Amino acid sequence: MVFGLVAEGDLWARHPLLTVVNLLLTTLNIIAGLVLFGETEQRVTGIALILCGVSNPLGWADQWAWGPLPLYSVLFGYISPVFGGWALIRYPDERMDRAGRVLIMSLAAWTVGVPAVLVLVAQPSWLTHQSIGAAWWPPVWPSEQLFALVSLLFVAGCSLLGSVFLCLLVRRLLQGNRRERAVRLPVAAAGVIAAVAALTVTTTTTAWGPRDEVFAVEGIADLAVPIAFLVSMGQRRLMRLVGVVSTFTDTAPTALLLRDMLRLTMRDPDLDLFPWSEDDRCYLDLDAGVPSQLPSGARADRTRERLAELTGTDGSPLALLRPSAQITDRHIVTAAEVMTRLALEKQQLSRRLLTAEYDARASIAADLHDGAQKELCALLAILVQCRHSNGMGRDPLIEAACGQADKALQALRDLAHGVYPSALHHAGLAQAVDEAADGLDLLVYLHIPDERLPAAVEKTAYFFVCEALTNVHKHAQAASTHVTVSHSAGHVTVVVQDDGPGGADAHGRGLARMRDRIHAHGGILTLTSPPGHGTQLTMRLPCV
């Protein structure tokens, strides 16, 4: 920046617009280069842009008629566009293809080599903006005819190389998928504008000599290049964020697959994930399947700086996420942490719900075995006796068989009522809970309005109340229980409160299953159970 201010010389007074444009171009190229340098795969492109900005003032060194500065201006005045073209051709790939390398080397050789020949065959006033005074200039063989011929060849070569450059830009724009083309589009469009402007300025300067107005127009066109790089980098980061989010939208991966997906999406092969194991009470190494051994000492301090501890909504540990040091974009890391947390919570919730489903099936099987099956076996035994008895002994057996059949039917009705009571469907939540409470040896006070709620809400609330009352009956030793249901502000709140001894375990297995089912419906379960003051379970459920 300071070099640019000094190199402008008296251009400040002669053409202030051109001076401001040059300083903006230098500054924006350096800023864009530093932003690109922050990403490992774009560091070379960032260096090219920084060199483009740093070398830009060399084209104006002839404003000072001192020493070799005018000579440097002629020899290296075109090197800044070469660095810019290097960045344009390479971006956003990690490597430049062979055609690009050949073109950039040809441009560098042509834009430095031919001006070197022009210096040998020209007077200083033919090439620089002003008289060089006492500045050093090599007077070798000034010739107007030879100067005109070399200048014409220079313009022709620049036009040819510029046309090849434009073709390469267009070819790269057409490569890749839609997302990659969208990333390249701003940079390619800016490159085309800058290349056309550079060709125009080279032609007019060679034909009619240097003009400040022409250079100002070229500088304004060149400003599009660093701005386009900044816009494209913003697009790339946004697309990476979208990629991280969309990767987990429709999938429920295992921990190992989740880590591989994160590595692929974040382009970080060294990223690691250590899931929490409830059985072992520690974080696991996915590759070895054993408790993770994190490094110690100074290396451990550097590692812990990158470790992100992921916890569930209830504060329980889920995993440790460790991106490598090459990932410097905090927004990408934060998005990965959020989506990993959601994926692991979804995985745990699915596992617990599946376990609850298996437990429910086992419970139904046990109820059938101990209830209806036992009664039906007794009925079968009576019928067998009836078949082998004489006529006089059949009447009591038939009577006993009818009674046993009634017991079996009642057991099946009780089982069906527990699975899904008909009263809930026909009469609503209040009636269904009233019937469920009648079957318990427990004093229950119901405060439930008669209004009907959405079917899903009624089912969730009913089974929550039934399970809560069963827990009170089995464990609370309560004299009475109150069940209160209220509906307001788009939510249903169900409170089951007893006057037992309190001190309920908030992390119990039954309560965890209850919480999972409520969370699956978007609700919240709260437990308040101070020792000696009873227990209160509160469910808050969306009702839309």
Side-chain angles (χ1 to χ4, degrees):
M1 185 70 177
V2 175
F3 179 48
L5 286 170
V6 174
E8 303 293 333
D10 65 348
L11 191 63
W12 281 101
R14 192 174 77 245
H15 204 297
L17 174 62
L18 176 57
T19 306
V20 172
V21 169
N22 286 334
L23 291 177
L24 278 176
L25 187 59
T26 298
T27 304
L28 287 177
N29 273 316
I30 293 174
I31 291 174
L34 291 173
V35 172
L36 285 164
F37 189 80
E39 291 197 9
T40 304
E41 59 189 24
Q42 297 298 329
R43 282 186 178 174
V44 176
T45 305
I47 292 173
L49 272 181
I50 293 172
L51 291 175
C52 177
V54 171
S55 60
N56 183 58
L58 284 174
W60 302 96
D62 60 341
Q63 300 299 314
W64 294 87
W66 174 82
L69 291 180
L71 181 61
Y72 289 163
S73 174
V74 174
L75 290 177
F76 304 110
Y78 296 96
I79 199 66
S80 178
V82 173
F83 287 127
W86 179 15
L88 287 166
I89 291 294
R90 189 179 188 276
Y91 183 81
D93 298 335
E94 294 187 37
R95 287 181 169 274
M96 187 187 300
D97 58 17
R98 188 170 182 271
R101 290 196 300 271
V102 171
L103 174 63
I104 295 302
M105 288 189 291
S106 301
L107 274 172
W110 189 258
T111 55
V112 174
V114 178
V117 176
L118 286 173
V119 167
L120 299 177
V121 299
Q123 294 286 349
S125 59
W126 301 349
L127 288 170
T128 60
H129 292 77
Q130 58 187 13
S131 175
I132 64 170
W136 182 79
W137 191 271
V140 179
W141 187 17
S143 171
E144 291 189 10
Q145 293 83 2
L146 191 56
F147 173 76
L149 177 61
V150 176
S151 298
L152 183 62
L153 288 174
F154 181 65
V155 172
C158 288
S159 300
L160 177 62
L161 292 173
S163 301
V164 176
F165 177 80
L166 289 174
C167 292
L168 282 181
L169 276 182
V170 173
R171 189 193 72 173
R172 286 182 57 76
L173 183 59
L174 298 177
Q175 293 175 341
N177 55 36
R178 183 178 178 181
R179 181 177 297 181
E180 292 172 343
R181 290 196 297 271
V183 170
R184 291 193 182 106
L185 180 60
V187 174
V192 170
I193 294 173
V196 172
L199 288 175
T200 304
V201 169
T202 302
T203 303
T204 55
T205 301
T206 305
W208 296 290
R211 296 178 182 272
D212 292 339
E213 293 78 9
V214 175
F215 290 119
V217 173
E218 181 194 18
I220 293 172
D222 290 344
L223 285 174
V225 173
I227 294 174
F229 271 107
L230 293 173
V231 170
S232 181
M233 285 297 294
Q235 282 184 320
R236 291 184 76 238
R237 291 186 175 183
L238 180 60
M239 288 180 178
R240 289 178 68 181
L241 282 171
V242 172
V244 171
V245 174
S246 61
T247 298
F248 307 110
T249 301
D250 302 318
T251 58
T254 62
L256 186 60
L257 180 58
L258 177 61
R259 185 192 64 180
D260 293 340
M261 292 168 65
L262 284 170
R263 287 178 174 178
L264 179 64
T265 305
M266 297 179 65
R267 300 177 183 176
D268 183 6
D270 297 324
L271 178 144
D272 219 334
L273 182 69
F274 304 97
W276 175 261
S277 171
E278 281 293 338
D279 296 333
D280 299 321
R281 304 299 297 173
C282 66
Y283 295 102
L284 295 180
D285 187 324
L286 287 175
D287 294 322
V290 297
S292 61
Q293 299 294 329
L294 297 177
S296 57
R299 185 184 170 197
D301 296 336
R302 293 193 299 270
T303 300
R304 291 192 182 93
E305 289 178 0
R306 302 194 306 270
L307 275 178
E309 184 177 3
L310 307 181
T311 58
T313 53
D314 58 353
S316 60
L318 293 174
L320 294 176
L321 180 65
R322 186 181 65 190
S324 67
Q326 70 178 11
I327 303 298
T328 58
D329 191 336
R330 187 60 202 169
H331 299 292
I332 298 293
V333 175
T334 301
E337 291 174 5
V338 172
M339 298 311 299
T340 303
R341 181 182 294 110
L342 291 176
L344 290 173
E345 281 195 307
K346 179 181 178 182
Q347 184 186 100
Q348 286 193 355
L349 179 60
S350 300
R351 187 184 300 119
R352 290 198 296 263
L353 288 176
L354 188 60
T355 302
E357 180 186 347
Y358 292 153
D359 291 345
R361 291 182 180 182
S363 177
I364 292 174
D367 290 341
L368 285 171
H369 180 272
D370 298 335
Q373 180 178 337
K374 183 176 68 175
E375 303 299 338
L376 289 173
C377 287
L379 174 60
L380 179 60
I382 295 172
L383 291 176
V384 170
Q385 291 180 9
C386 182
R387 183 177 62 183
H388 295 290
S389 65
N390 53 30
M392 295 180 61
R394 287 186 177 181
D395 292 339
L397 292 175
I398 292 174
E399 188 68 26
C402 291
Q404 202 65 39
D406 289 338
K407 291 181 181 180
L409 288 174
Q410 186 59 44
L412 288 173
R413 290 192 191 98
D414 292 341
L415 179 61
H417 186 275
V419 173
Y420 188 81
S422 59
L424 182 63
H425 176 72
H426 296 292
L429 179 63
Q431 182 65 32
V433 172
D434 186 39
E435 292 183 4
D438 287 341
L440 297 173
D441 184 16
L442 186 67
L443 180 61
V444 181
Y445 296 96
L446 301 180
H447 312 279
I448 305 175
D450 292 330
E451 65 172 309
R452 296 302 301 267
L453 300 172
V457 174
E458 284 191 335
K459 293 175 187 176
T460 306
Y462 171 78
F463 288 110
F464 163 71
V465 172
C466 288
E467 189 165 355
L469 290 177
T470 302
N471 289 339
V472 172
H473 181 257
K474 289 182 178 179
H475 309 295
Q477 301 175 356
S480 63
T481 304
H482 291 262
V483 177
T484 305
V485 178
S486 59
H487 179 203
S488 63
H491 285 81
V492 170
T493 303
V494 183
V495 180
V496 179
Q497 184 174 12
D498 64 61
D499 56 2
D505 182 10
H507 302 287
R509 190 174 178 185
L511 195 63
R513 287 198 298 265
M514 191 185 301
R515 183 181 291 111
D516 289 339
R517 286 195 295 271
I518 294 171
H519 284 178
H521 288 83
I524 300 173
L525 178 65
T526 306
L527 171 68
T528 304
S529 185
H533 294 84
T535 299
Q536 177 178 306
L537 271 176
T538 304
M539 178 190 74
R540 182 175 170 83
L541 201 66
C543 182
V544 293

